[in-house]
């Protein structure tokens, strides 16, 4: 600052931002009277990691009105303050419920970098039940996530349990931001196990399935199978609507506890007869209880058809004597008619190819 000479500023530069002429309100050259001053400013973005110091030096150069060189420098520092970083993990399960005894569930993880500034690096993704998730499914760590960005991955696991139970597991994410500060978050998800109703299937078969109207023995086989996916069932009785309680014919002995897929078989033989065209129908009903205490009952039907018996008769004809002289003689013809069928047959007529109708009064 001169108290006598005017000075002309020809150059205004910054160690970081270079020539300042034309930036903001700064313009050179500028002539400054003795004891006068010139002020200008410009705005620029300053960035850096938390705790850093941004330092830049301004240099001014010029000449006085005697032509002598003048100049000066000054510096200023800007401190980079920390902006806290944060991450959030959102865990979801698909499906949210499984039927007993269990099923595959896909757990999806969305890791959000909710920081305003910092990038974060995820170093660990763990589950309190399934352990380290790195390398499972599509999950891989470490992962660096820019501010406002996110990372998604998923794993599929088998979830099991009895009806009504809940499976809850917690995912934990940890890492550091680009200032070296630790970040982390947790989220849980619950999967419900739902009940699968028990069931049994009763199948009844007959051998043979047709009998003549005169009747025949028929062997019935009743199979009661536990078709439940999960529950064991106890078969207590097998009752036929025609022949009554047939539990004593069953193997294994009733009451029988059957695991899913297991069965009990009952066998008995009965004589079946009737009129031709009739259908003999009977139904076997199995009753019991499943391992949840729920009553079960299931029936199976079988039909046996009564078929017609066709008449079967034969006739035997004899002659006595079996020879006569050429002058002729009496011969006695005897006819024996036999019913070879199973039903009574009524003979309505008897005729001979030579002597005609033989029934009626003899001459």
């Amino acid at each position: 600052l001169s108290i006598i000479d005017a000075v002309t500023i020809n150059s205004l530069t910054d160690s970081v931002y270079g020539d300042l002429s034309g930036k903001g309100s700064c313009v050179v050259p500028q002539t400054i009277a003795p004891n006068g001053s010139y002020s200008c400013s410009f705005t620029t973005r300053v960035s850096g990691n938390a705790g850093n110091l941004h330092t830049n030096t301004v240099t001014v150069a010029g000449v006085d009105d005697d032509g002598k060189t003048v100049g000066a420098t000054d510096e200023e520092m800007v401190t980079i303050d920390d902006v806290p970083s944060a991450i959030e993990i959102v865990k979801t399960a698909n499906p949210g419920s499984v039927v007993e005894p269990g099923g595959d569930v896909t757990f999806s993880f969305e890791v959000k970098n909710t920081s305003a500034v910092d990038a974060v690096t995820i170093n660990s993704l763990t589950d309190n039940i399934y352990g380290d998730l790195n390398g499972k499914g599509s999950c891989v760590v470490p992962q660096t996530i820019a501010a406002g960005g996110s990372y998604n991955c998923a794993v599929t696991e088998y979830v099991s349990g009895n009806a009504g139970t809940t499976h809850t597991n917690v995912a934990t994410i940890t890492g550091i931001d680009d200032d070296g500060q630790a970040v982390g978050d947790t989220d849980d998800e619950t999967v419900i196990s739902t009940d699968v109703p028990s069931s049994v299937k009763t199948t009844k078969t007959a051998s043979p399935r047709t009998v003549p109207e005169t009747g025949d023995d028929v062997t019935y086989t009743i199979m009661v199978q536990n078709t439940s996916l999960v529950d064991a069932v106890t078969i207590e009785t097998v009752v036929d609507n025609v022949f009554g309680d047939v539990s004593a014919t069953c193997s294994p002995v009733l009451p029988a506890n059957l695991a899913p897929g297991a069965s009990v078989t009952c066998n008995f033989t009965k004589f079946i007869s009737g009129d031709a065209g009739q259908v003999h129908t009977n139904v076997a009903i199995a009753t019991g209880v499943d391992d949840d205490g729920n009553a079960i009952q299931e029936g199976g039907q079988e039909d046996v058809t009564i078929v017609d018996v066709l008449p079967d008769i034969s006739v035997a004809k004899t002659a006595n004597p079996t020879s006569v002289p050429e002058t002729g003689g009496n011969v006695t013809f005897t006819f024996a008619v036999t019913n070879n069928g199973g039903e009574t047959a009524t003979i309505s007529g008897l005729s001979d190819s030579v002597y005609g109708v033989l029934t009626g009064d003899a001459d």
Side-chain angles (χ1 to χ4, degrees):
L1 177 64
S2 174
I3 61 173
I4 300 174
D5 296 326
V7 297
T8 298
I9 305 303
N10 296 318
S11 171
L12 182 61
T13 61
D14 186 274
S15 60
V16 175
Y17 302 110
D19 186 2
L20 301 183
S21 180
K23 291 184 178 180
S25 62
C26 296
V27 177
V28 292
Q30 290 286 341
T31 300
I32 308 172
N35 294 313
S37 65
Y38 169 69
S39 298
C40 71
S41 64
F42 72 97
T43 301
T44 188
R45 178 178 174 81
V46 175
S47 63
N49 291 327
N52 289 352
L53 290 176
H54 174 92
T55 302
N56 58 317
T57 303
V58 64
T59 300
V60 63
V63 295
D64 64 14
D65 54 11
D66 296 325
K68 294 181 179 180
T69 299
V70 293
T73 63
D74 192 24
E75 70 176 10
E76 183 67 351
M77 291 183 295
V78 177
T79 303
I80 309 300
D81 295 329
D82 186 32
V83 176
S85 57
I87 58 173
E88 177 186 5
I89 183 170
V90 178
K91 180 178 183 180
T92 57
N94 184 29
S97 64
V98 294
V99 294
E100 57 173 341
D104 284 341
V105 176
T106 298
F107 294 98
S108 298
F109 309 92
E110 182 181 16
V111 183
K112 302 177 183 179
N113 181 2
T114 56
S115 308
V117 178
D118 295 329
V120 296
T121 298
I122 304 305
N123 294 320
S124 172
L125 176 60
T126 60
D127 186 277
N128 68 320
I129 293 179
Y130 303 114
D132 187 0
L133 300 182
N134 183 31
K136 291 185 177 180
S138 61
C139 295
V140 178
V141 291
Q143 292 286 338
T144 299
I145 309 171
S150 62
Y151 169 68
N152 294 273
C153 70
V155 298
T156 299
E157 299 287 352
Y158 185 83
V159 176
S160 62
N162 293 326
T165 60
T166 56
H167 170 99
T168 300
N169 56 320
V170 181
T172 300
I173 193 84
T174 61
I176 57 173
D177 64 15
D178 54 14
D179 299 322
Q181 301 296 315
V183 291
D185 193 30
T186 63
D187 192 28
D188 62 25
E189 184 68 320
T190 297
V191 177
I192 300 172
S193 295
T194 59
D195 186 32
V196 177
S198 58
S199 61
V200 296
K201 181 180 181 181
T202 300
T203 304
K204 184 174 186 179
T205 57
S207 180
R209 296 191 65 198
T210 60
V211 295
E213 56 188 324
T214 52
D216 199 356
D217 283 340
V218 175
T219 298
Y220 288 96
T221 300
I222 302 168
M223 185 178 77
V224 183
Q225 184 179 28
N226 179 8
T227 54
S228 307
L229 292 176
V230 180
D231 295 327
V233 298
T234 298
I235 303 302
E236 297 172 336
T237 62
V238 177
V239 177
D240 188 280
N241 69 323
V242 175
F243 304 116
D245 192 338
V246 295
S247 301
T249 70
C250 299
S251 177
V253 176
L254 301 188
N257 185 267
L258 305 179
S263 61
V264 61
T265 301
C266 315
N267 288 284
F268 58 92
T269 300
K270 296 293 182 178
F271 186 81
I272 305 298
S273 62
D275 293 331
Q278 287 183 338
V279 177
H280 176 92
T281 299
N282 57 320
V283 179
I285 299 176
T287 58
V289 64
D290 67 17
D291 57 12
D292 296 324
N294 299 313
I296 54 174
Q297 179 173 296
E298 179 67 16
Q301 174 181 311
E302 180 67 315
D303 297 333
V304 175
T305 303
I306 312 299
V307 296
D308 191 22
V309 177
L310 297 177
D312 181 11
I313 60 174
S314 61
V315 60
K317 180 180 180 180
T318 59
N320 184 26
T322 58
S323 64
V324 295
E326 59 182 334
T327 56
N330 289 328
V331 175
T332 300
F333 294 99
T334 302
F335 306 91
V337 180
T338 302
N339 180 4
N340 300 309
E343 292 187 307
T344 300
T346 300
I347 305 302
S348 59
L350 183 63
S351 61
D352 186 273
S353 60
V354 174
Y355 304 109
V357 176
L358 301 178
T359 55
D361 295 333
D363 293 333

